[in-house]
Amino acid sequence: MELIENHDAQFMLLAGFIIAIGLVITTVMLNSVIFEGNMAIGAGNDPSKNEMVNLMQITKDETGAAYRNTSNTSMLRNKTIADFIYQTQNFRDNLSTIYALNGDGVNLSWNVSNWNNSNYAYFTDNGMANGAAKWIVIQNVSSSNITVNVSTGSFIINVTNTTNSSKYWTITLSGGYQSFNSTNISSNVPPPYSITFFNAAGATGNYSINGTASGKAFTRARDYILYANVTFSTGRVKADITIPISVPW
Amino acid sequence: MGFRKLLKNEDAVSISIGFILMFSVTVIIFTATIISFYSLSQSNEKTTMGATFKIIGAGLATKITTVDTLVNITNSYGGTVNSLEYEFSMPASVADKSYSVNLTNSTYQIIIQSDNGAITYTPLNISANFNAVHIYSGAENYKLTYDKPSNSLNIVEE
């Protein structure tokens, strides 16, 4: 009661402080509200580039695997291609389901006309006419077997000793099958050696090189260039991409 | 003596004058508070617009770079991009003000500007050709497309 009856203005001071602090708090809060209101902008989700890269890579890998599985058999070509289409369609259906679970749409289709019509690939690095005409197929080879079938034009394979570039063997290839085994090559160039294609843009055909390089078994081979068409769609992105795929490797 | 008398005098002013005085003081204080808050909000508006423009510019640059990267990744696979579309949206207004977005291909910058003087410059780094475009915030929804024959990126309103 004494406090209430005391006229020294404690309550007035207290009220003054409370009002002052209240004003400061209100002003800061209102400022924050305006700032947040102005900043109300949605960030949104950006599509992952990795998804596209993965999609292209697994399509490439699966196409190569399906070709190798089917072309190893001695079936007729149309039967082999039908088997390839069956395998790739199975892959396509599974892939579409997996992407659909993430809310993305994926559709794949393949163009096998090069295979169907025996249009062999160029001997360039990427198998197409615009690829590099001079390229190293493999280096540091200790033994290898080379089989080449030139369909059109002519090109050169250069086998060069890795340590002494003056020791090399130039093979000019034009038309038909030619095969060189490890003994043939070693008698001309002592291993280790590198195998380089020259003038590769002027010739088409298929090749297969296998053996040992840097202590590991390797296979380099190409028959055809097949085309895979990939359509990818998410809520924001729609893409239609065609990628060439060298088969069997 | 007169001053002492004044201090001890508890008559003060009449109730009417007291009310007028209190009312006037309250009005003046509130007006001062509101005016200071308003001027504060004005400067705040410009600051937030600048910050928001930076976010919009960076987001737009990221989207353009994403499309450019996808095109280049496909090229690295030897493939071709037949079509590529990326839909995105931007707010119709920032702090209740419309704005314009100028995408230049001379200096490769995204310049976002509003009529109250807020402006930001965001650098843009792409390898494909980019068709310069000046867009305005009203449309809200836009589409970033890749044109295969000209190897160029375009932004169109939806």
Side-chain angles (χ1 to χ4, degrees):
Chain A
M1 289 300 282
E2 263 187 38
L3 184 70
I4 293 170
E5 285 173 4
N6 188 339
H7 286 224
D8 290 346
Q10 294 95 328
F11 274 110
M12 224 173 105
L13 280 171
L14 193 64
F17 277 123
I18 289 168
I19 291 167
I21 293 167
L23 272 174
V24 170
I25 291 171
T26 312
T27 312
V28 170
M29 277 177 69
L30 284 171
N31 266 317
S32 306
V33 168
I34 285 193
F35 195 88
E36 291 302 320
N38 290 338
M39 291 289 282
I41 171 174
N45 289 326
D46 285 325
S48 169
K49 291 181 279 289
N50 291 336
E51 278 187 40
M52 291 293 289
V53 176
N54 286 342
L55 191 57
M56 285 192 272
Q57 191 58 51
I58 55 175
T59 303
K60 204 169 181 175
D61 292 347
E62 189 62 28
T63 306
Y67 180 87
R68 290 191 294 277
N69 283 344
T70 52
S71 62
N72 275 341
T73 59
S74 55
M75 289 187 293
L76 290 171
R77 175 175 296 178
N78 56 359
K79 185 86 174 71
T80 312
I81 293 175
D83 199 9
F84 170 84
I85 290 169
Y86 176 77
Q87 281 197 40
T88 48
Q89 279 181 348
N90 196 22
F91 163 70
R92 180 192 67 187
D93 294 344
N94 287 332
L95 197 71
S96 297
T97 309
I98 292 165
Y99 272 80
L101 291 173
N102 287 327
D104 301 333
V106 166
N107 190 30
L108 301 173
S109 60
W110 283 266
N111 179 347
V112 293
S113 60
N114 282 343
W115 187 6
N116 213 4
N117 301 321
S118 294
N119 293 329
Y120 289 109
Y122 282 87
F123 287 102
T124 53
D125 64 336
N126 62 9
M128 293 186 288
N130 62 0
K134 178 192 170 186
W135 61 289
I136 298 166
V137 181
I138 188 135
Q139 288 178 303
N140 206 24
V141 181
S142 51
S143 70
S144 64
N145 299 305
I146 303 174
T147 306
V148 181
N149 169 35
V150 180
S151 178
T152 59
S154 67
F155 81 110
I156 294 164
I157 296 178
N158 207 332
V159 183
T160 312
N161 184 273
T162 304
T163 50
N164 186 354
S165 59
S166 64
K167 291 179 181 174
Y168 62 88
W169 183 31
T170 302
I171 313 162
T172 304
L173 298 139
S174 57
Y177 270 99
Q178 277 184 280
S179 181
F180 311 93
N181 62 24
S182 183
T183 317
N184 281 349
I185 299 166
S186 299
S187 62
N188 287 283
V189 180
Y193 50 81
S194 61
I195 300 170
T196 310
F197 284 8
F198 282 92
N199 300 333
T204 61
N206 56 331
Y207 68 89
S208 172
I209 304 170
N210 55 53
T212 308
S214 304
K216 291 177 182 173
F218 74 91
T219 303
R220 297 283 184 277
R222 179 181 296 139
D223 291 343
Y224 305 102
I225 295 293
L226 306 182
Y227 291 94
N229 191 262
V230 182
T231 57
F232 176 75
S233 57
T234 65
R236 287 174 176 272
V237 176
K238 290 182 186 69
D240 183 335
I241 292 165
T242 303
I243 49 170
I245 300 167
S246 166
V247 289
W249 292 99
Chain B
M1 287 296 286
F3 184 67
R4 277 196 147 189
K5 206 175 175 184
L6 181 72
L7 281 177
K8 288 188 175 179
N9 186 350
E10 292 184 359
D11 290 346
V13 292
S14 70
I15 292 174
S16 310
I17 299 293
F19 173 78
I20 291 166
L21 278 173
M22 286 301 290
F23 184 77
S24 307
V25 167
T26 310
V27 168
I28 289 165
I29 288 173
F30 264 91
T31 311
T33 310
I34 288 165
I35 288 171
S36 65
F37 174 73
Y38 182 74
S39 62
L40 205 63
S41 70
Q42 285 294 301
S43 66
N44 208 341
E45 184 183 87
K46 204 171 166 182
T47 311
T48 51
M49 283 181 87
T52 310
F53 286 172
K54 270 187 188 169
I55 295 169
I56 293 172
L60 195 54
T62 308
K63 287 171 179 63
I64 294 169
T65 309
T66 299
V67 172
D68 187 51
T69 310
L70 283 175
V71 171
N72 280 294
I73 288 171
T74 310
N75 289 342
S76 73
Y77 275 82
T80 50
V81 178
N82 305 315
S83 70
L84 183 56
E85 293 178 359
Y86 188 169
E87 291 170 14
F88 64 94
S89 56
M90 292 194 297
S93 62
V94 172
D96 284 334
K97 282 192 166 52
S98 57
Y99 57 95
S100 70
V101 182
N102 186 9
L103 295 109
T104 67
N105 60 6
S106 53
T107 54
Y108 283 96
Q109 276 183 322
I110 301 171
I111 304 164
I112 306 179
Q113 193 169 16
S114 177
D115 56 6
N116 72 344
I119 184 166
T120 59
Y121 300 85
T122 310
L124 187 63
N125 188 19
I126 55 171
S127 61
N129 299 322
F130 182 74
N131 291 329
V133 65
H134 205 140
I135 54 178
Y136 298 91
S137 61
E140 282 195 72
N141 295 315
Y142 306 88
K143 195 191 280 179
L144 185 58
T145 59
Y146 173 72
D147 183 52
K148 183 181 157 190
S150 60
N151 182 36
S152 62
L153 300 179
N154 302 293
I155 291 178
V156 290
E157 291 177 2
E158 283 205 299

